[in-house]
Amino acid sequence: MTNAAGGTLRRRPSQRRSVERVERMLDECALLLDEVGYEQLTTKEVARRAEVPIGTFYQFFPDKQGLVRALALRNLDAFLDRMAARLAGVSLKNWTEAVDLVIDEFVEMKRTMPGFGIVDFGEILTTPGGPALPESRRMLDQSLDNNVIVADRLRSLIIELLGAPRNEGLGRALIVAVEAADAVLKLAFRAHPQGDPDLIAECKRLVRRYLSEHLSDSAVDASESVDRESEGPAEPS
Amino acid sequence: MTNAAGGTLRRRPSQRRSVERVERMLDECALLLDEVGYEQLTTKEVARRAEVPIGTFYQFFPDKQGLVRALALRNLDAFLDRMAARLAGVSLKNWTEAVDLVIDEFVEMKRTMPGFGIVDFGEILTTPGGPALPESRRMLDQSLDNNVIVADRLRSLIIELLGAPRNEGLGRALIVAVEAADAVLKLAFRAHPQGDPDLIAECKRLVRRYLSEHLSDSAVDASESVDRESEGPAEPS
DNA sequence: GCGTTAACATGAGCATCACTCATATCCGAA
DNA sequence: TTCGGATATGAGTGATGCTCATGTTAACGC
């Protein structure tokens, strides 16, 4: 819902042609990232493929990092939207099913959405191509925000759907779970182009075991918001 | 024990002066990495600080990535050696203590060893400055090797010290645990310069919960290799 | 239609980077 | 001393991220 490129753009495109251009640049960035990786990706090539002059590129994106960060945010939004839609259309027996569903969806995104496997919720999102520097506090804070956004929205979804108790530690636990799952799934995709099934299964186990401290099974049965048993997708508020 | 710069050097320094030079370059690389991050790090500046001509730099390191990878491997060796020494000098009551000890040691390394927080067991080790590319299989395999090396040596240490059963799944579980813990600790250090204590504690919980499937408490008491109760450091085989 | 003004578009050019290679220097053997 | 090959060096090369002076379009009052 929120604009995917929220604070990362130098100038927000207003006219229709400009919007399409920015979108095209992000599309080509994603494809090129999958082809050559971040370091080999050049702004000139992105601009060339998107059929946009390099000068125009730099009117919208502050720099190479900004481009990739904007893509990361767009991917993030896409994932969260798909998650919300997916969770809304299913009646879950217990919260562990929700964990499996979220991870399956994440894996599916990695398999199909260009650039999703490379630029996602980890530090790449923050400082793509470079590890976090103690100097650049601002960027770090932003990354932390992004991380919190994912975990927070997941928590909202889980609470909404499963009626889990609003533990104080749940928020932090979800952040930790997201971070850990992200890392393990990265490993799974490093080991196998489509994601090593064993490692994906192991990832689910990891998250289930960890979250079982915070999410009790009893909370699931007490769920109030899962009223409809229908399988059709329901609209989130 | 094994040379830290394993296959990453273009030419192995033979004379004493050359060895010192390579060591100095790695030292300055680590410091500079902490100061400005990978992307801002320039080979010229590393060479300048190490008081080595740029030409000489490229006689030993194939490229910028090779330099950072060599540093990563040196840090890796340092960590594993310290782990072995630390575990050898302590009698553990149960395996969860070993988990805490390993994580504490890891955190201590992140706090004190230059470049350790930035270049470590994650993908940065593999493709520093760039996420994994589907193209560059060779690098990916190497990264996987590195990851396996850590987990494998940890497994050896744990089995040796705690007499844990040699489960088939233990190896993979340790790889997953290392990957997850690494990610969560990165997060902890992004949130706090010295590492957020809450997140560090959460990391221990995560690993303990996960590994409890593979390491039973009873296995600890049946430990055979922990004969000596002395606290002096013992030599690993 | 016309003039004015501001926003937008463009790509040659600049500073800087990773990396090379022709040359200089060293050093042991004869 | 002379020679030959290994080593050391830094000016130079091509490429990259990014800028900015200039050209083009759009909007609006008259």
Side-chain angles (χ1 to χ4, degrees), chain B residues 151-168:
Chain B
D152 213 53
R153 186 133 164 213
L154 278 180
R155 185 180 57 160
S156 298
L157 287 172
I158 289 177
I159 288 177
E160 194 179 330
L161 286 164
L162 299 176
R166 296 170 183 267
N167 293 346
E168 190 197 344

Side-chain angles (χ1 to χ4, degrees), chain B residues 45-60:
Chain B
E45 181 65 10
V46 170
R48 196 191 62 78
R49 291 205 192 185
E51 296 178 80
V52 164
I54 187 64
T56 300
F57 174 96
Y58 279 100
Q59 280 214 338
F60 293 103

Side-chain angles (χ1 to χ4, degrees), chain A residues 76-96:
Chain A
L76 181 66
D77 274 352
F79 170 67
L80 289 174
D81 286 348
R82 279 187 59 169
M83 275 313 314
R86 183 89 176 263
L87 283 174
V90 169
S91 71
L92 299 161
K93 296 199 189 88
N94 49 47
W95 66 267
T96 61

Side-chain angles (χ1 to χ4, degrees), chain A residues 47-48 223:
Chain A
R48 195 192 62 76
S223 169

Side-chain angles (χ1 to χ4, degrees), chain A residues 34-35 38-39 65 118 123 129 131 133-135 172 179 183 186 190 198 202 205-206 209-210 212-213, chain B residues 34-39 65 118 123 129 131 134-135 179 183 186 190 198 202 205 209-210 212-213:
Chain A
D34 281 338
E35 286 179 32
Y38 176 80
E39 220 170 5
Q65 283 199 10
I118 285 180
E123 66 206 305
L133 354 171
E135 261 75 332
R172 188 169 57 220
E179 196 76 23
K186 261 184 210 154
R190 253 180 283 158
D198 291 338
E202 212 66 21
R205 257 220 290 264
L206 174 73
R209 294 284 295 177
Y210 174 62
S212 63
E213 283 190 329
Chain B
D34 281 338
E35 286 179 31
V36 302
Y38 177 79
E39 220 171 3
Q65 282 200 10
I118 285 181
E123 66 207 305
E135 261 74 331
E179 198 75 21
K186 260 183 211 154
R190 253 181 282 156
D198 291 338
E202 212 66 19
R205 256 219 291 262
R209 293 283 295 177
Y210 173 62
S212 63
E213 282 190 328

Side-chain angles (χ1 to χ4, degrees), chain A residues 159-173:
Chain A
I159 287 178
E160 194 177 330
L161 286 164
L162 299 176
R166 297 170 182 266
N167 292 346
E168 190 197 343
L170 181 59
R172 188 169 57 220

Side-chain angles (χ1 to χ4, degrees), chain A residues 5 18 25 42 44 53 60 65 70 72 88 96 103 108 112 114 120 156-157 172 174 195 202-203 214:
Chain A
S18 302
M25 286 191 268
T42 68
K44 249 178 186 143
F60 293 104
Q65 283 199 10
T96 61
I103 291 177
E108 185 61 21
T112 57
D120 47 11
S156 298
L157 287 172
R172 188 169 57 220
L174 279 176
E202 212 66 21
C203 179
H214 295 274

